[in-house]
Amino acid sequence: MNDQGILVVISGFSGAGKGTLIKAMLERHHNYALSISATTRKPREGEEDGREYFFVTRERFEQMIEEGQLIEYAQYVNNYYGTPRQYVFQQMADGKDVILEIEIQGALKIKERFPEALLLFVTPPSADELKRRLVGRGTETMDVIHQRLHRAADEAEGITSYDYILINDEIDACVEAMHQLIQAQHRKVSSSLDFIEQMRSELKAI
Amino acid sequence: MNDQGILVVISGFSGAGKGTLIKAMLERHHNYALSISATTRKPREGEEDGREYFFVTRERFEQMIEEGQLIEYAQYVNNYYGTPRQYVFQQMADGKDVILEIEIQGALKIKERFPEALLLFVTPPSADELKRRLVGRGTETMDVIHQRLHRAADEAEGITSYDYILINDEIDACVEAMHQLIQAQHRKVSSSLDFIEQMRSELKAI
C-alpha cells in the first residue's frame, strides 16, 4: 500500500504472554522489527546488552533524554526505560513494522506524539486465568503474584486508551490475530493517501 | 469478544469487483448477513424482489422514510435507494456482521449516524485496470464506460471518508483481507467494553 512501516505498541498484563506472542510472530513473519528499549536497571542473569535491553547509566540516559534521542521514556521503581528514536525511524523508513513492547505509561505518550501508532493490549481470557498462569510459572512467591495482580487491576484502568484488545486464549490463533491486526493498518485510508491521490489523478486523466 | 454484530459498509468503483468479493465472502464465512436495499427503480431482467432489492413504489418508499424505517436513503437518477432498519438491527443483535453494499452518499450518512460502522472502499490497483475491466465485460458501450470512469473520478474524492481501502488485485486474497478487516473490528476496545469492565471487577475482587 505504501512503503512506510507502522509503529505498533504492545502492552499487556504481566502473565498475559505478550513476550511469547511477539517472539512467535517475529519468527513466523519477516516484516517486523523489534525495538529494544534502553534502561538504567541492572541486567538480570542471562540478559544481554542489546538483546533484552540497552543497559546504560543514569547519566547516559539523561543525556539521551536531553538530546531528544528517545521517542518516549518513563520511570518505574527508580529506573528509567525508554525507546531510542533512531532504530525505530530507520526500520519504519525501510518498510518494517516496528514493535514496541512497553508499559501503559509509555504507550500513551507514543499515542500522543504519533496518533497513527497502533496500540494493542494483550490479556488472558479472565482474571482467574491470569492468576493461574502467574502461579503456574512457579518462579514467584504468592506475595509477588499478589503484587502483580494488584498492578494488573491498576493497568486495567488504562485499557480503553488502546485501539485493540487481544485475548490470548490459544497462542497460535492469537499470534495470527495480532499479525492480521497489524497488517490491516496498512490498508487504512490514512496509510494510503499516496495511492488515493494517484488513483484520483489517473482517473481525471482518462 | 461481544455478541453484537458489526455494521459494515462496502463501496467501490463500478468495475472494482465488490459484488463478486462480497458473494465469495458470504459463501466462505457464515457470520455475515447481507442487507438488501429497498429501491423505487424497476427490476432489471433476472432481478428478483427480495434478492437484489426490495422493489417498492415511490409512495411506499416515502412512507418508509416518514415512518423511520430506513437507516439511510439517497436518490440517484430519480430513483430512491435505502436500507431498511429492521433487518439490519435484528441481524446485528443476533451477532451477525451486516454488510451494506451502498454508494458513497449513503455510506457517509451511515458513518454520521453510526460512528462505529466500518467503511470499506474497494478499488482496482489502478485506473487503467479499472478501464480494462469495464471494457473487458463487453456489455457496455464506450460511452457508458466513459460515464462510469468520470463517475469514478468524482467518487475518488470521497475515499478519504472511508476507514480502509481494499485493492482488489487478486480475488481470493482480497476476500480474505476483507474478512480479516471486518473480524478485527470485534477486537476494537470500543467493541469490548463489557469484557474490559468484567476484567476490571474480577481483578479488583482477587
Side-chain angles (χ1 to χ4, degrees):
Chain A
M1 214 69 172
N2 60 355
D3 300 320
Q4 170 86 358
I6 286 165
L7 186 56
V8 185
V9 174
I10 300 176
S11 307
F13 300 126
S14 169
K18 55 188 183 301
T20 313
L21 288 171
I22 293 170
K23 191 162 173 281
M25 189 173 73
L26 267 68
E27 277 166 10
R28 287 191 211 164
H29 302 284
H30 299 290
N31 51 317
Y32 296 108
L34 184 64
S35 159
I36 297 166
S37 298
T39 183
T40 56
R41 85 151 164 74
K42 297 279 163 286
R44 297 189 188 129
E45 193 160 330
E47 287 184 339
E48 242 175 59
D49 185 47
R51 194 179 62 188
E52 281 79 10
Y53 288 97
F54 294 110
F55 296 101
V56 299
T57 61
R58 180 163 272 269
E59 294 65 40
R60 174 75 189 114
F61 198 100
E62 285 169 352
Q63 190 190 355
M64 289 167 86
I65 297 174
E66 216 155 294
E67 292 175 355
Q69 290 182 35
L70 302 169
I71 57 172
E72 61 79 30
Y73 68 94
Q75 257 186 311
Y76 300 96
V77 210
N78 290 324
N79 282 307
Y80 280 125
Y81 295 80
T83 303
R85 166 188 297 275
Q86 202 196 351
Y87 177 84
V88 170
F89 285 172
Q90 183 57 58
Q91 294 291 324
M92 283 171 69
D94 287 351
K96 295 274 187 184
D97 298 328
V98 177
I99 308 291
L100 270 51
E101 186 193 338
I102 57 179
E103 310 278 334
I104 203 159
Q105 208 182 327
L108 299 186
K109 284 185 197 160
I110 292 285
K111 193 70 184 176
E112 210 180 292
R113 293 188 60 182
F114 309 100
E116 290 304 326
L118 177 67
L119 267 61
L120 308 181
F121 195 90
V122 180
T123 169
S126 69
D128 276 348
E129 175 62 18
L130 181 62
K131 189 177 174 185
R132 208 186 56 74
R133 288 186 198 175
L134 289 170
V135 173
R137 285 179 175 180
T139 53
E140 279 147 358
T141 63
M142 279 313 287
D143 267 5
V144 171
I145 289 169
H146 277 287
Q147 273 173 35
R148 287 192 192 274
L149 288 169
H150 279 294
R151 181 162 162 200
D154 289 344
E155 286 173 337
E157 298 304 315
I159 301 180
T160 43
S161 304
Y162 284 71
D163 296 307
Y164 293 93
I165 186 162
L166 271 169
I167 299 182
N168 185 11
D169 201 350
E170 197 278 305
I171 180 126
D172 279 333
C174 194
V175 167
E176 285 317 301
M178 184 182 271
H179 175 61
Q180 297 294 350
L181 273 183
I182 299 170
Q183 293 318 303
Q185 287 301 101
H186 286 280
R187 301 180 198 279
K188 276 198 100 167
V189 161
S190 51
S191 304
S192 313
L193 298 178
D194 290 349
F195 173 84
I196 294 169
E197 198 38 62
Q198 198 187 325
M199 195 77 189
R200 278 176 181 164
S201 52
E202 282 177 25
L203 282 168
K204 276 187 197 144
I206 269 179
Chain B
M1 215 69 172
N2 62 355
D3 300 319
Q4 171 85 358
I6 285 164
L7 187 56
V8 185
V9 173
I10 300 176
S11 307
F13 300 126
S14 169
K18 56 188 183 303
T20 313
L21 289 171
I22 293 170
K23 191 162 173 281
M25 190 172 74
L26 268 67
E27 277 167 11
R28 286 190 211 165
H29 303 284
H30 299 292
N31 51 318
Y32 296 109
L34 184 64
S35 159
I36 297 165
S37 298
T39 183
T40 57
R41 85 150 164 76
K42 297 279 163 288
R44 295 187 190 132
E45 191 160 329
E47 287 184 338
E48 241 175 60
D49 185 49
R51 193 180 64 189
E52 282 79 9
Y53 288 98
F54 293 110
F55 296 100
V56 298
T57 61
R58 182 164 270 270
E59 294 66 41
R60 173 76 188 114
F61 198 100
E62 285 170 350
Q63 190 191 357
M64 290 168 85
I65 297 173
E66 216 155 293
E67 292 174 355
Q69 290 181 36
L70 302 169
I71 59 173
E72 61 79 31
Y73 68 94
Q75 256 186 312
Y76 299 96
V77 210
N78 289 325
N79 283 306
Y80 280 124
Y81 295 79
T83 303
R85 166 188 297 277
Q86 201 196 351
Y87 178 83
V88 170
F89 285 172
Q90 183 58 57
Q91 294 292 323
M92 284 171 69
D94 287 352
K96 295 275 186 181
D97 298 328
V98 177
I99 309 292
L100 309 188
E101 186 193 337
I102 56 178
E103 310 278 334
I104 204 159
Q105 208 182 327
L108 300 186
K109 285 185 196 161
I110 292 285
K111 193 70 183 177
E112 210 179 292
R113 295 187 59 180
F114 309 100
E116 290 305 325
L118 176 67
L119 268 60
L120 307 181
F121 195 91
V122 181
T123 170
S126 69
D128 276 348
E129 174 62 18
L130 181 62
K131 188 176 173 184
R132 208 186 57 73
R133 288 186 199 176
L134 289 171
V135 173
R137 286 179 174 180
T139 53
E140 279 146 358
T141 63
M142 278 313 287
D143 267 5
V144 171
I145 289 169
H146 276 288
Q147 272 173 36
R148 288 192 191 274
L149 288 168
H150 279 295
R151 182 162 161 197
D154 288 344
E155 286 173 339
E157 297 305 314
I159 302 180
T160 43
S161 303
Y162 284 72
D163 296 308
Y164 293 93
I165 186 161
L166 270 167
I167 299 182
N168 184 11
D169 203 350
E170 197 279 304
I171 181 127
D172 278 334
C174 194
V175 167
E176 285 317 300
M178 185 183 271
H179 175 61
Q180 297 294 351
L181 273 184
I182 299 170
Q183 293 319 302
Q185 286 300 102
H186 286 281
R187 302 179 199 279
K188 277 198 101 167
V189 161
S190 51
S191 304
S192 314
L193 298 177
D194 290 349
F195 173 84
I196 294 168
E197 198 37 62
Q198 197 187 327
M199 195 77 188
R200 277 176 181 164
S201 54
E202 282 177 24
L203 282 167
K204 276 187 196 144
I206 270 180

